[in-house]
Amino acid sequence: MGMGTNLSGQGSDRFRVMGEINVTPLVDIMLVLLIIFMVAAPLMTQGVEVDLPDAEAKPLPSEVEPLVVSVKRDGSTYIEERPVSAQELAAKIKLIRGNNPNLLVYVRGDDQVSYGTIMTVMSQLQQAGVDKVGLVTEPER
């Protein structure tokens, strides 16, 4: 807030209290933060690179962040971004879901992975106590 002094003894209208806030720096900072988050958000959700099959299906509504199991083209399995062997999958999923048994599990399988490999992963999830599994696909182009 700026204010002046009346040294000349002239009218008091000349030096009034300024009650305005300069919002330009605030807007500049907000725009920079917006750009940073717009660039960073897709990078945080990318995960393991998998070429998903195309399907005409609507997204499942979800209020909770799901646990994602990915199967790459070579058959390697990942929980989120951490590699895990097919034999360890059930034990690790059971351990992760121990605190939250209602945690959603989504499977992202490469479109070149055999049906048998995906079914092995699904069987491991069933052994871990997962009753409902969502399969992730790309929208049809």
Side-chain angles (χ1 to χ4, degrees), residues 90-111:
K92 290 202 177 200
I93 293 290
K94 191 179 286 188
L95 184 65
I96 292 170
R97 291 185 76 230
N99 297 335
N100 185 2
N102 296 325
L103 183 65
L104 297 172
V105 177
Y106 288 168
V107 175
R108 297 175 69 233
D110 194 282
D111 65 346

Side-chain angles (χ1 to χ4, degrees), residues 44-86:
M44 292 188 292
T45 60
Q46 187 63 27
V48 178
E49 185 65 35
V50 175
D51 190 19
L52 296 172
D54 295 337
E56 190 174 321
K58 295 179 182 173
L60 297 174
S62 174
E63 297 173 7
V64 180
E65 186 72 26
L67 180 66
V68 178
V69 176
S70 302
V71 183
K72 290 181 77 172
R73 187 172 294 213
D74 62 0
S76 57
T77 308
Y78 294 80
I79 297 176
E80 296 296 337
E81 296 177 6
R82 295 177 299 273
V84 62
S85 70

Side-chain angles (χ1 to χ4, degrees), residues 12-31:
S12 63
D13 290 339
R14 221 169 127 188
F15 298 102
R16 285 187 280 181
V17 175
M18 240 175 95
E20 300 173 10
I21 297 175
N22 187 0
V23 295
T24 304
L26 177 66
V27 171
D28 290 344
I29 290 171
M30 294 313 243
L31 287 174

